[in-house]
Amino acid sequence: MPFISKKTLASLLGILFFAMAAVVATAPQVQEKQLSVYAPVATYTLPVLDRSGHEYVGLLELLEPLGRVSSQTAGGRWGIRYNSVDGNFAAGKSRGKVRGRDFDLGAPFLIENARGFVPLASLGNLLPKFLGTAVDFHQNGRRLFVGQVGIEPSFHLESGPQPRLVLSFNGPVNPTISTEPGRVRMLFKRDPVLSPGSQSISFADKIISQATYSENNGAAEIDVVASSPLLATYSNSGKTITLAAAPTETQAGQGGTGPPAVSSGPSTPKVTPPPGNTPPTIRHPVIFVDAAHGGDERGAALTDQLAEKDVTLGFARLLRHELELRGFAVQMSREGDTTIALDQRAGSANAGQAVAFITLHATSQGNGARVYTALLPREGESKGVFRAWNGAQQQALAVSAMVATAVVNELKVRKMAGGAAAASLRPLNNVLMPAVAVELAPGPTGAADLGSATYQQQVASAIADGVVSVRDRLGVQR
Ligand SMILES: [Zn+2]
């Protein structure tokens, strides 16, 4: 069956929920000193030695991932060749030769077990001699950047009753996120994250007050100070982390209706609870939002200007926002103008943790919105594996109808036209969890409304309120 892999899914879906419970303070772990190196060809860490008041790192080990290296030692002398560059040093001597020229290490060279070590403090000047390229060495944090590899963060706070801090990075990141009373810590061990420009940023917000950046022992850390529990959501292929104040009353993950535990694939961000303590980890219910059509498949031409595939994507984004405001996490079938098979949309939803599936269409006929549930093939119409696939919705159909009714009620509350119907509409048949299709129809001023974010947002909020009203019933019915 055309399921996408768990790994791909895990990267689509990085959803975490934190509760700031009382945390017992524990003594910091004694950590080995290390140096992190970020280069276009490799990211790695090396142990750092303390000798006679200086920090040292092995020069062969440092250069090895970056090119061809060999070394030799004899009688207190140590030589290294990196690609075609030679370096020569002597145990206990600060002066050596690189490319045939004198080089001052600033502290004595060290030989231990035939391995040559240079002072950490020399790396900023020494490495460019070997590599022929600039390096940026943050000695205090023990982080070395070779070439233009740094990832810059930027912060954007959206204030409000449930404020959100959006951290954008110009490359994907995968920090270890942990929580302590009053703050969320993001530790970037392998990501070449740089300072956002200042070490501390203050926000004029009652809940999220400050973000600080620091570097220590080969890692960067961003701490966000907040007076309420925060929820972290990854999006934009790992380039955006959104920290949002969690809704105060939540049933997420309680009772039997929550999603199963998120599998820990390699790209799945991990929550690291402080040692000796297990804070309650509450998970958000995930709603799968499918923007129908896309890419080569344009859908209906709603007006001369408006293709259905574009309307459904904008509508899906607004629905995602409305659902997130109500304490759900959202998995999107597509984030851009891409072609995705129907089977793949259903497969992605079934392989994940979604508790409900909502596919969005648009039409130039009628007005308001129509909500569809699956019309399943009768017994005997399909056989074998296809029967299972085409009848996947069977068990969830009763709850799907409840979702449809709830959404129609919310449309009525907003004085919008709406109706529910059953239709043979793929991929609803193939989805295991409660599933509806919502077809956006023109508003009071006609088909042009279909492209209006204000109009779409009204319908999206009706859908989200409808989902909230039946949230206790959602989930895969097996
Ligand atoms: Zn359509």
Side-chain angles (χ1 to χ4, degrees), residues 31-77:
Q31 261 196 318
E32 301 262 312
K33 281 191 180 182
Q34 62 183 29
L35 169 74
S36 288
V37 183
Y38 311 97
V41 293
T43 296
Y44 50 103
T45 58
L46 298 168
V48 170
L49 304 184
D50 273 310
R51 295 288 184 271
S52 314
H54 299 284
E55 292 180 334
Y56 285 91
V57 65
L59 186 56
L60 177 86
E61 291 77 12
L62 180 57
L63 291 171
E64 200 161 34
L66 305 176
R68 263 179 305 107
V69 208
S70 59
S71 74
Q72 49 190 313
T73 182
R77 303 197 69 83

Side-chain angles (χ1 to χ4, degrees), residues 372-396:
Y372 295 97
T373 48
L375 185 64
L376 295 173
R378 278 175 298 158
E379 289 287 324
E381 278 186 23
S382 55
K383 293 214 160 60
V385 65
F386 291 106
R387 177 166 151 195
W389 180 241
N390 286 327
Q393 174 64 196
Q394 185 70 57
Q395 294 290 98

Side-chain angles (χ1 to χ4, degrees), residues 292-300 307-310 334 337-342 345 361:
H293 313 290
D296 300 337
E297 204 211 311
R298 295 175 52 82
E308 186 184 358
K309 66 170 186 175
D310 299 322
R334 64 183 175 101
D337 186 19
T338 44
T339 308
I340 305 172
L342 291 171
R345 296 170 197 252
H361 288 263

Side-chain angles (χ1 to χ4, degrees), residues 327-351:
F328 293 97
V330 171
Q331 183 184 358
M332 302 272 281
S333 61
R334 64 183 175 101
E335 300 270 3
D337 186 19
T338 44
T339 308
I340 305 172
L342 291 171
D343 281 349
Q344 194 184 337
R345 296 170 197 252
S348 302
N350 291 344

